[in-house]
């Protein structure tokens, strides 16, 4: 009888163990599915950020904020190496610690990670300890994951996330973090290209306007505050003739007078640049094409009624010249490539003859 009871109890215990293992497996499966859903949501947030935010530096800060919020990471810092120095581009750590965080390349514990391009995980085992790179900050971080950032074998800097408890990242999903790192790489490459473009922005001597590079950088930040805008490209169609038949100085004076007249009529949120040669671009931020068409018709008449005195280097009989404009408009949607719209308008203007002086909408 006792043996039968023991066997029964043993069977019950084994059954409970099997049941508990089954429940534990289901819980882990559920956690894994939940983690995957979270990861997908985070990736979607990243994609939205990359498409919606204009500035590359803003993108880095937004990606950093999303990561901190969605994964409950205490600290996250992105550090960029520009070839001369290390600069923190995004961080939620107090600035008093930035000198330490921007000098991690000198720490022996991370040097091998940078050389090999592999992540490095470090943690303390108990509360009284501190991480090797910490100088005077015993209580701030107890765990850290360090990611060197490379693009096509070119070292760009590093990304470090930190936790407030020992062994905090023991079970973190490094796969999604690698995806995050790749997003950071993409944005850093954009930042590098954008920085190059921003450095070549200049003021045009004759029109007294910014050059076209401004349109795609600082100007686009203003434009993308609105969902829909209207892009206008216009050409002074008789500028070449003025340069050749009258004089180059008269052509320069014509450009200056046209641009001053138009600029005085534009609101601050409208972007006006010298696009190239006799072509100029205006972006009417947040304004639909119908209103712009009516406005440009009035402005065209005003410009074409100008009488620009010929320069002193001209020896002929003409006393004045009047500019003629050919204008084309198109709609621009926030987040889409602006250069695609301007290129389409430019191709249209280049396809027309020098006698056409209209307002068209593509």
């Amino acid at each position: 009888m006792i043996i039968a009871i023991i066997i029964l109890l043993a069977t019950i215990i084994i059954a409970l163990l099997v049941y508990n293992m089954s429940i534990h497996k289901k819980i882990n499966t559920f956690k894994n599915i939940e983690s995957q859903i979270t990861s997908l949501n985070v990736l979607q947030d990243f994609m939205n950020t990359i498409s919606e935010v204009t500035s590359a530096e803003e993108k880095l800060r937004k990606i950093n904020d999303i990561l901190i919020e969605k994964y409950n990471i205490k600290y996250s810092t992105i550090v960029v190496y520009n070839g001369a120095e290390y600069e923190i581009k995004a961080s939620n750590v107090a600035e008093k610690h930035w000198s330490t965080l921007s000098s991690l390349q000198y720490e022996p514990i991370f040097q091998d990670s940078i050389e090999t391009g592999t992540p490095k995980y470090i943690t303390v085992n108990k509360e009284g300890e501190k991480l090797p790179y910490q100088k005077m900050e015993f209580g701030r971080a107890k765990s850290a994951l360090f990611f060197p950032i490379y693009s096509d074998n070119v070292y760009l800097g590093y990304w470090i996330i930190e936790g407030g408890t020992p062994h905090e990242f023991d079970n973190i999903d490094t796969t999604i973090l690698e995806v995050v790192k790749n997003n950071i790489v993409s944005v850093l490459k954009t930042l590098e290209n954008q920085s190059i473009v921003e450095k070549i922005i200049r003021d045009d001597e004759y029109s007294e306007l910014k050059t076209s590079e401004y349109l795609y950088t600082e100007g686009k930040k203003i434009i993308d505050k609105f969902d829909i805008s209207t892009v206008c490209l216009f050409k002074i169609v008789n500028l070449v003739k003025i340069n050749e038949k009258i004089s180059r100085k008269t052509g320069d004076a014509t450009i200056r007078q046209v641009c001053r007249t138009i600029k005085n009529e534009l609101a601050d949120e409208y972007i006006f640049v010298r696009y190239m040669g006799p072509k100029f671009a205006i972006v009417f931020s947040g304004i639909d094409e119908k209103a712009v068409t009516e406005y440009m018709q009035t402005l065209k008449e005003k410009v074409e009624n100008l009488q620009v005195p010929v320069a002193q280097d001209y020896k002929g009989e003409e006393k004045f010249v009047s500019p003629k404009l050919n204008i084309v408009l198109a709609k621009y949607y926030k987040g889409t490539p602006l250069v695609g719209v301007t290129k389409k308008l430019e191709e249209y203007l280049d396809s027309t003859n020098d006698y056409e002086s209209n307002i068209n909408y593509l």
Side-chain angles (χ1 to χ4, degrees):
M1 183 68 179
I2 294 176
I3 295 174
I5 293 173
I6 292 172
I7 293 172
L8 178 62
L9 290 173
T11 303
I12 292 172
I13 291 170
I14 291 171
L16 288 172
L17 287 172
V18 171
Y19 178 74
N20 285 338
M21 288 176 63
S22 174
I23 293 296
H24 182 70
K25 185 176 180 180
K26 288 179 180 178
I27 290 172
N28 285 338
T29 300
F30 175 77
K31 286 181 177 179
N32 187 43
I33 292 172
E34 186 180 36
S35 175
Q36 290 178 17
I37 292 172
T38 300
S39 298
L40 287 172
N41 288 337
V42 171
L43 286 177
Q44 184 61 53
D45 286 341
F46 285 151
M47 296 307 295
N48 292 340
T49 295
I50 289 173
S51 63
E52 290 176 2
V53 180
T54 303
S55 162
E57 295 199 16
E58 284 183 71
K59 290 176 183 178
L60 285 177
R61 289 193 290 268
K62 187 66 175 177
I63 284 177
N64 209 44
D65 291 342
I66 291 170
L67 182 71
I68 291 164
E69 178 188 351
K70 299 295 184 181
Y71 284 97
N72 294 317
I73 291 172
K74 192 165 187 179
Y75 303 112
S76 177
T77 302
I78 299 170
V79 182
V80 174
Y81 178 59
N82 63 13
E85 59 184 1
Y86 286 79
E87 181 182 1
I88 291 180
K89 291 293 185 181
S91 181
N92 67 326
V93 179
E95 284 195 38
K96 65 182 179 181
H97 301 303
W98 282 17
S99 60
T100 298
L101 290 171
S102 60
S103 305
L104 298 182
Q105 69 279 5
Y106 301 118
E107 295 292 334
I109 196 166
F110 295 129
Q111 286 177 354
D112 182 62
S113 176
I114 292 174
E115 289 173 6
T116 60
T118 55
K120 180 76 174 182
Y121 176 39
I122 56 175
T123 185
V124 301
N125 291 313
K126 53 187 179 181
E127 287 296 332
E129 299 175 344
K130 67 174 183 176
L131 297 172
Y133 62 88
Q134 293 178 324
K135 310 303 179 187
M136 298 178 293
E137 40 180 321
F138 288 93
R140 188 180 68 81
K142 299 297 182 181
S143 304
L145 257 173
F146 179 90
F147 293 88
I149 300 174
Y150 281 83
S151 174
D152 300 325
N153 295 320
V154 176
Y155 176 59
L156 301 179
Y158 54 83
W159 169 44
I160 183 169
I161 60 175
E162 301 169 290
T165 58
H167 297 278
E168 185 166 329
F169 303 131
D170 285 5
N171 299 312
I172 196 167
D173 183 0
T174 56
T175 303
I176 190 65
L177 292 181
E178 282 292 330
V179 174
V180 174
K181 188 186 76 171
N182 291 337
N183 276 277
I184 293 172
V185 170
S186 298
V187 174
L188 286 178
K189 290 173 71 175
T190 302
L191 181 62
E192 181 182 11
N193 295 334
Q194 187 168 313
S195 177
I196 293 170
V197 172
E198 287 172 350
K199 287 176 182 176
I200 63 176
I201 293 173
R202 54 188 173 81
D203 292 324
D204 179 63
E205 178 183 354
Y206 304 107
S207 66
E208 301 172 345
L209 302 173
K210 297 290 186 186
T211 53
S212 61
E213 292 81 12
Y214 177 83
L215 185 65
Y216 306 115
T217 52
E218 295 301 313
K220 197 168 187 294
K221 295 178 186 178
I222 299 171
I223 298 164
D224 278 352
K225 291 179 180 178
F226 304 88
D227 292 332
I228 299 175
S229 298
T230 299
V231 181
C232 167
L233 211 65
F234 72 86
K235 180 179 180 180
I236 305 176
V237 293
N238 59 339
L239 182 62
V240 173
K241 183 179 178 181
I242 292 171
N243 287 337
E244 293 176 349
K245 302 295 184 182
I246 307 297
S247 72
R248 185 60 183 258
K249 287 184 178 180
T250 304
D252 295 341
T254 302
I255 291 173
R256 196 154 36 245
Q257 191 61 45
V258 168
C259 292
R260 286 176 179 174
T261 301
I262 293 175
K263 191 173 183 179
N264 288 337
E265 299 290 333
L266 296 178
D268 291 339
E269 64 268 24
Y270 301 157
I271 309 301
F272 184 24
V273 299
R274 185 167 189 178
Y275 187 79
M276 186 182 298
K279 295 188 283 285
F280 301 80
I282 308 173
V283 180
F284 294 89
S285 311
I287 306 299
D288 65 59
E289 65 275 12
K290 183 178 179 181
V292 172
T293 301
E294 294 172 356
Y295 178 83
M296 286 305 297
Q297 184 61 54
T298 302
L299 195 55
K300 183 176 187 293
E301 291 172 4
K302 185 172 184 177
V303 168
E304 292 183 343
N305 283 328
L306 290 173
Q307 289 189 317
V308 182
V310 299
Q312 293 180 355
D313 60 342
Y314 172 64
K315 304 304 180 184
E317 298 180 357
E318 299 290 341
K319 302 297 182 183
F320 302 94
V321 296
S322 295
K324 296 296 180 184
L325 305 185
N326 193 12
I327 300 170
V328 62
L329 310 171
K331 187 177 291 185
Y332 166 73
Y333 296 92
K334 174 183 176 180
T336 59
L338 179 58
V339 68
V341 178
T342 55
K343 186 66 175 175
K344 179 178 68 172
L345 297 179
E346 181 185 18
E347 289 173 352
Y348 173 80
L349 288 179
D350 289 342
S351 70
T352 60
N353 62 57
D354 290 340
Y355 301 101
E356 183 175 326
S357 178
N358 299 313
I359 298 179
N360 290 290
Y361 184 80
L362 301 186

